[in-house]
Amino acid sequence: MTAKIDDWLLEILACPQSKAPLRLDEEAGELVCDESGLAYPIRDGIPVLLVDEARRIN
Amino acid sequence: MAARSGDPQRATGTGQGRGAAPSGASDSGAAAPGLAAAEPRTAGSAAADFAALVAEAAAAPVEGWDFSWLAGRATEERPSWGYARLIADRLARADTALDLDTGGGEVLAEAPALPPRMAATESWPPNLARAAARLGPRGVAVVATGEGAPLPFADAVFDLVVSRHPVATPWEEVARVLRPGGAFLSQQVGPASVFELTEFFLGPQPPETRARRHPDHARAAAEATGLEVVDLRMERLRMRFHDVGAVVYFLRKVIWIVPGFDADRYRDRLRELHERIRAEGAFTAHSTRFLIEARRPRSAAPHPPTGGRLDRDRPQVPIMGETDRGALRR
């Protein structure tokens, strides 16, 4: 699964928990916050920026 | 599952200024002839009439925010400021904008010109899909957020944030994401909206309930974050219900007007209402709406500084005291 996010959007998005910038993992189809250790899914092209829906990463 | 907006106008698909909800009324808010008038019934059929109107309305599907079922049976005046037109004008001049709680994207989609960078947030999944389908082709980035959660955007990125009937205004977050000089422009449900219906079924409401959602609360909350309130207007808008079925449908769909409304449970009151409408021609109520514009000053940082994080311990002033749509979603 790959995911695309417009560059301008990636620039202004932030982790709702840490407010740190997000990194796009195209392969995983996720937006990753390294600071809070959360990976947010992108479903049907929609970034799902809910802490409850995020996958915890190490 | 009923729909989610703080107000029926929100997601009718026709939107502001076109007399959408709840009735498909004209712009003037003038009463359209009700079905009862269009299909005269004999005087002797009052009881059967009542039963049929209630049964029909109790069985009608109430998902979504399409109020066309009420066409010709209820009307509502529109706020004079014309929210859709106001935001269209601002959006045409913005560079980076956000529509908070976009619903199905209906109102935003009415704007003929959108900023080059336009984002919209929504938390209710059925609306998200609609918003993405409607707004995606126009280049709008639709983002799923948690209701009441911090906004998933960096500091000072938007020159315009708009919102029609937000669940609750996250003032601290709005101030944080606005650029210096940026503006928040929002139409919100005001105090004691449609309380004639609420009180018809539930009796007199206490002063504190009537005072909920007062625009003064919004002003205080905005100013507490360092925003400057540059416009604040409120209007009472006449609603007219022309048959009891229209009331049943409306109360089933907009479930916070009479919480726990059920046509069987309130059958006696509904019969009284039916008789009253037959005698007077309509039941009149008033919705309240306010428009607020708040700007982030060009020079000063938002107050208090958030340090890039939401201060979760800060008391939040309840603007939309009942967080209407939230209640609907649960």
Side-chain angles (χ1 to χ4, degrees):
Chain A
M1 173 175 176
T2 61
K4 296 242 179 293
I5 294 285
D6 285 342
D7 289 345
W8 70 264
L9 181 61
L10 200 52
E11 272 173 35
I12 65 169
L13 284 180
C15 170
Q17 182 166 291
S18 70
K19 298 289 159 61
L22 296 171
R23 171 170 61 77
L24 176 63
D25 183 336
E26 269 189 58
E27 292 293 306
E30 291 177 331
L31 288 163
V32 179
C33 174
D34 293 313
E35 188 171 319
S36 57
L38 294 172
Y40 298 91
I42 301 170
R43 296 192 190 126
D44 301 323
I46 301 175
V48 180
L49 297 180
L50 282 76
V51 172
D52 289 349
E53 305 267 331
R55 187 171 64 83
R56 194 154 289 283
I57 53 173
N58 293 313
Chain B
M1 179 70 203
R4 57 160 302 223
S5 171
D7 171 83
Q9 295 175 8
R10 180 186 175 100
T12 57
T14 51
Q16 194 79 18
R18 288 199 232 142
S23 62
S26 69
D27 279 335
S28 68
L35 275 194
E39 300 168 16
R41 295 173 172 91
T42 61
S45 69
D49 213 25
F50 170 75
L53 286 167
V54 171
E56 179 202 17
V62 289
E63 295 83 9
W65 277 111
D66 178 1
F67 279 76
S68 58
W69 192 91
L70 286 170
R73 302 176 70 162
T75 58
E76 181 176 19
E77 291 176 328
R78 315 311 305 249
S80 65
W81 49 74
Y83 175 77
R85 184 172 41 76
L86 276 184
I87 65 161
D89 180 55
R90 300 298 184 86
L91 289 165
R93 292 180 280 139
D95 168 64
T96 306
L98 169 66
D99 186 20
L100 201 61
D101 289 353
T102 194
E106 297 87 355
V107 181
L108 185 60
E110 284 190 47
L114 293 175
R117 312 201 301 176
M118 179 83 223
T121 58
E122 176 52 40
S123 55
W124 196 45
N127 270 343
L128 266 172
R130 284 188 211 121
R134 185 175 277 124
L135 301 173
R138 295 190 61 187
V140 178
V142 176
V143 176
T145 54
E147 190 173 302
L151 296 178
F153 299 102
D155 295 357
V157 290
F158 296 110
D159 47 10
L160 178 66
V161 176
V162 296
S163 189
R164 184 160 183 260
H165 304 171
V167 175
T169 306
W171 288 104
E172 293 277 355
E173 285 289 273
V174 167
R176 180 182 67 77
V177 301
L178 278 175
R179 289 175 182 161
F184 174 68
L185 183 60
S186 177
Q187 177 177 304
Q188 311 206 344
V189 176
S193 194
V194 206
F195 260 39
E196 294 92 338
L197 268 184
T198 303
E199 296 192 327
F200 183 87
F201 289 95
L202 302 181
Q205 297 295 297
E208 59 271 25
T209 304
R210 293 190 144 268
R212 276 181 200 155
R213 302 179 188 154
H214 197 283
D216 288 352
H217 302 163
R219 175 191 291 278
E223 290 176 349
T225 69
L227 297 176
E228 292 173 3
V229 176
V230 296
D231 194 0
L232 184 57
R233 294 181 250 174
M234 181 160 76
E235 289 182 359
R236 279 184 96 221
L237 307 160
R238 192 181 66 177
M239 305 176 76
R240 288 169 66 82
F241 295 89
H242 294 277
D243 72 72
V244 72
V247 173
V248 169
Y249 180 85
F250 181 78
L251 294 179
R252 286 183 60 225
K253 196 161 175 108
V254 189
I255 63 173
W256 56 87
I257 303 292
V258 179
F261 177 79
D262 177 275
D264 288 333
R265 183 175 163 197
Y266 289 102
R267 197 156 186 91
D268 292 344
R269 288 304 278 155
L270 286 169
R271 190 172 283 110
E272 284 176 49
L273 189 64
H274 175 64
E275 295 307 326
R276 180 164 158 182
I277 292 174
R278 282 173 62 87
E280 299 174 8
F283 181 88
T284 301
H286 295 82
S287 59
T288 56
R289 301 285 179 266
F290 66 86
L291 181 79
I292 186 165
E293 179 175 359
R295 289 190 169 273
R296 180 170 169 185
R298 286 191 188 282
S299 47
H303 166 77
T306 59
R309 290 169 194 273
L310 178 74
D311 183 350
R312 289 175 187 279
D313 297 330
R314 185 163 300 284
Q316 302 291 307
V317 180
I319 302 304
M320 309 279 292
E322 291 156 13
T323 58
D324 294 336
R325 287 173 292 169
L328 284 169
R329 281 181 240 183
R330 284 186 277 275

